[in-house]
């Protein structure tokens, strides 16, 4: 079965420290991987995606993610966390369905950045 | 640029009442459209998706239905709401392609009492 796992319900970091939010996937074929962020009572905002090419993908707000095929992981990273980065983060993998694609989401990881 | 609208933003409805949530997209043509439900602020469940006018695919059996009367309009409906229909409903769109990114609307918070 195709799936996405985010093993941590919550990640706590101090402002200015690097952050990592973990994601692993299980999918047949080449994966298309996405990260989204959600602030309270808001819709999801697209951060970045991996389709092919360079394993290190750069996205919005200084975030980046590293695709690791051997470990089937796509961890989200940022060199220096900000308090404003505190939010709910979702990893997703695209699976084909007929003539379109569907996203399968992980359960989300709450990032708490403390001053 | 493309924008996606959802309304209402918040809705409180009694059990057994009907429901109609609307989603519209501006600035693009022939989008794929999606309805998701998010329960308890966590995972998202895909409810319906549409690749064109009148074309609706249902992902899970449920008390809800969807319609796409126009190219950029997607409606989520119910004839009789259940308590379990409470949640945060998100609409999304994507450009058709093999690696399309989905872009989400602001969501509708539905509380069924």
């Amino acid at each position: 079965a195709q799936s996405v796992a985010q093993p941590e319900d919550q990640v706590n970091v101090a402002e200015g420290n690097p952050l990592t939010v973990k994601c692993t996937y299980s999918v047949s074929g080449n994966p298309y991987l996405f990260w989204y962020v959600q602030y309270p009572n808001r819709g999801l905002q697209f951060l970045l995606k991996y389709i092919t090419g360079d394993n290190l993908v750069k996205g919005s707000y200084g975030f980046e993610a590293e695709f690791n095929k051997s470990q089937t992981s796509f961890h989200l990273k940022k060199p220096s966390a900000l308090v404003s980065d505190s939010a709910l983060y979702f990893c997703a993998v695209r699976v084909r369905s007929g003539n379109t694609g569907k996203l399968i989401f992980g359960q989300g990881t709450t990032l708490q950045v403390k001053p | 640029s493309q924008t996606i609208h959802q309304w209402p933003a918040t809705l409180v409805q009694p059990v057994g009442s009907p429901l109609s949530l609307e989603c519209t997209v501006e600035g693009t043509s022939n989008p794929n459209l999606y309805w998701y439900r998010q329960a308890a602020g966590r995972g998202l469940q895909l409810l319906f998706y549409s690749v064109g006018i009148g074309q609706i695919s249902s992902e899970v059996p449920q008390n809800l239905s969807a319609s796409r009367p126009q190219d950029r309009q997607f409606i989520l409906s119910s004839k009789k709401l259940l308590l379990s229909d409470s949640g945060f409903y998100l609409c999304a769109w994507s450009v058709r392609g093999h690696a399309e990114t989905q872009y989400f609307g602001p969501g509708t918070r539905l509380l069924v009492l």
Side-chain angles (χ1 to χ4, degrees):
Chain A
Q2 302 180 96
S3 64
V4 174
Q6 294 181 241
E8 302 155 316
D9 282 344
Q10 182 158 329
V11 170
N12 298 310
V13 298
E15 188 175 29
N17 283 1
L19 70 87
T20 298
V21 183
K22 296 180 180 178
C23 171
T24 59
Y25 64 90
S26 174
V27 62
S28 56
N30 294 321
Y32 296 158
L33 297 157
F34 300 79
W35 275 103
Y36 287 84
V37 60
Q38 184 180 32
Y39 295 97
N41 296 309
R42 304 289 293 275
L44 276 68
Q45 294 180 34
F46 169 71
L47 282 178
L48 51 81
K49 68 180 177 183
Y50 172 82
I51 304 301
T52 187
D54 194 347
N55 289 343
L56 185 64
V57 179
K58 294 187 182 296
S60 306
Y61 313 120
F63 284 94
E64 57 189 27
E66 186 169 11
F67 171 67
N68 188 317
K69 188 173 183 177
S70 63
Q71 297 185 6
T72 62
S73 68
F74 189 55
H75 301 331
L76 182 70
K77 300 180 179 182
K78 188 173 182 180
S80 179
L82 301 172
V83 173
S84 57
D85 292 330
S86 299
L88 182 58
Y89 289 80
F90 289 99
C91 182
V93 63
R94 183 187 181 277
V95 297
R96 290 201 66 84
S97 178
N99 60 352
T100 187
K102 301 187 296 184
L103 290 181
I104 297 176
F105 286 86
Q107 285 300 301
T109 298
T110 299
L111 173 66
Q112 186 71 42
V113 181
K114 298 183 178 179
Chain B
S1 63
Q2 301 87 0
T3 55
I4 178 170
H5 304 279
Q6 287 186 246
W7 64 88
T10 306
L11 190 60
V12 180
Q13 291 285 93
V15 170
S17 64
L19 173 74
S20 181
L21 302 182
E22 190 163 344
C23 170
T24 58
V25 182
E26 296 178 356
T28 188
S29 297
N30 304 314
N32 290 334
L33 295 171
Y34 310 82
W35 277 113
Y36 290 86
R37 177 168 56 206
Q38 184 178 27
R42 299 305 287 198
L44 283 81
Q45 180 185 40
L46 178 62
L47 302 176
F48 301 95
Y49 67 92
S50 171
V51 298
I53 295 174
Q55 301 179 60
I56 308 296
S57 296
S58 175
E59 286 296 295
V60 293
Q62 59 200 303
N63 184 44
L64 302 169
S65 62
S67 62
R68 184 170 177 174
Q70 301 180 41
D71 181 47
R72 290 171 288 178
Q73 184 184 32
F74 205 22
I75 297 172
L76 185 68
S77 303
S78 174
K79 292 182 179 179
K80 290 186 177 181
L81 283 168
L82 306 173
L83 288 174
S84 57
D85 291 324
S86 293
F88 193 47
Y89 289 83
L90 291 160
C91 181
W93 72 274
S94 69
V95 174
R96 294 179 194 177
H98 73 290
E100 64 269 16
T101 299
Q102 291 185 23
Y103 298 96
F104 287 78
T108 294
R109 176 78 57 192
L110 172 65
L111 180 59
V112 182
L113 300 175

